Amino acid sequence: MKRFDLRHLKSDFYNKMGELIDKELASGEIGIFLFEKGEHENVMKSAAFIKERGHILMNSLQFNHVDWTIIMKKA
């Protein structure tokens, strides 16, 4: 299980999240991604991003008032 903090990227975190999934996670490994929620559409887009890439979205929850956490398993 690895945790990645993408809050510094604001709403432009999708490419980095994809890169980290590809390079830093082994097949079957859990990834925890923390990002700045910003507009609520970032939450929906991030869940769709994980699913579209064929991975398993395990959880998506609000971390605090401004941050969101996605927990996924690499397929």
Side-chain angles (χ1 to χ4, degrees), residues 34-45:
L34 184 63
F35 61 92
E36 193 171 293
K37 181 173 77 167
E39 297 298 321
H40 193 70
E41 73 179 25
N42 285 339
V43 174
M44 299 304 294
K45 281 183 175 180

Side-chain angles (χ1 to χ4, degrees), residues 6-50:
L6 304 176
R7 292 178 289 182
H8 64 283
L9 298 173
K10 305 292 183 201
S11 292
D12 191 31
F13 63 91
Y14 301 103
N15 289 336
K16 184 64 173 179
M17 183 167 53
E19 178 184 318
L20 290 168
I21 291 169
D22 292 342
K23 295 181 179 179
E24 298 292 327
L25 295 177
S27 182
E29 190 170 18
I30 304 294
I32 301 169
F33 294 91
L34 184 63
F35 61 92
E36 193 171 293
K37 181 173 77 167
E39 297 298 321
H40 193 70
E41 73 179 25
N42 285 339
V43 174
M44 299 304 294
K45 281 183 175 180
S46 62
F49 181 81
I50 296 295

Side-chain angles (χ1 to χ4, degrees), residues 1-2 5-6 9 12 17-18 23 27 29 34 36 39 44 46 51-53 59-60 62-64 66-67 70 73:
M1 182 181 332
K2 294 182 181 170
D5 188 345
L6 304 176
L9 298 173
D12 191 31
M17 183 167 53
K23 295 181 179 179
S27 182
E29 190 170 18
L34 184 63
E36 193 171 293
E39 297 298 321
M44 299 304 294
S46 62
K51 290 178 181 179
E52 287 169 3
R53 294 173 59 101
N59 207 342
S60 175
Q62 190 165 345
F63 183 68
N64 58 36
V66 294
D67 301 322
I70 289 279
K73 184 175 184 178

